């Protein structure tokens, strides 16, 4: 089953599609290593998969728009966490405990 969710952080918006697969992550039709050269950003966005031990179970396909690199990584992380819950509501408590379901409300002040 394909699940679509949206994650946001600062000015970044990530549309995340999660489907059963082998653990491949694609962002804007590029590999995750190509899109996020920094290992820190890759760790941030794969956190929900690590917390729920589903890194090798689902393929992640995202479209990210707006914001900077860090905001985009945070948006993808929230989108993945929401998609995991849509697939399996049992995953909510560990994700909630890890603080991965809270949308970071900080935005640029006018």
């Amino acid at each position: 089953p394909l699940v679509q969710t949206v994650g946001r952080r600062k000015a970044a918006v990530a549309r995340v599609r999660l489907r059963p697969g082998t653990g491949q992550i694609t962002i804007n039709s590029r590999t995750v290593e190509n899109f996020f050269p920094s290992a820190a950003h890759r760790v941030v966005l794969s956190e929900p998969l690590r917390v729920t031990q589903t890194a090798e179970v689902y393929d992640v396909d995202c479209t990210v728009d707006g914001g900077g690199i860090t905001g985009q990584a945070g948006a993808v992380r929230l989108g993945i966490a929401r998609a995991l819950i849509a697939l399996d509501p049992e995953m909510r408590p560990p994700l909630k405990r890890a603080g991965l379901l809270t949308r970071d409300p900080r935005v640029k002040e006018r």
Side-chain angles (χ1 to χ4, degrees):
L2 171 73
V3 173
Q4 285 191 306
T5 55
V6 173
R8 292 187 182 89
R9 178 167 190 267
K10 293 173 95 172
V13 180
R15 286 182 282 292
V16 177
R17 286 171 289 293
L18 210 64
R19 59 173 62 86
T22 57
Q24 289 201 312
I25 301 178
T26 322
I27 300 170
N28 290 359
S29 311
R30 290 156 62 184
T31 64
V32 70
E33 288 81 15
N34 189 332
F35 195 86
F36 289 115
S38 156
H41 291 129
R42 291 199 297 269
V43 167
V44 164
L45 73 87
S46 62
E47 210 173 335
L49 298 170
R50 249 198 337 278
V51 168
T52 56
Q53 279 113 36
T54 52
E56 310 293 311
V57 182
Y58 297 113
D59 282 348
V60 180
D61 180 34
C62 321
T63 314
V64 188
D65 192 45
I69 298 255
T70 306
Q72 289 182 344
V76 171
R77 177 174 85 166
L78 180 60
I80 291 173
R82 286 178 170 173
L84 287 169
I85 287 177
L87 280 169
D88 181 7
E90 299 286 305
M91 291 183 188
R92 189 175 168 83
L95 287 169
K96 186 89 176 147
R97 238 178 284 120
L100 298 174
L101 297 179
T102 311
R103 186 218 190 276
D104 190 338
R106 295 176 294 179
V107 290
K108 187 177 182 299
E109 203 173 314
R110 287 179 187 207

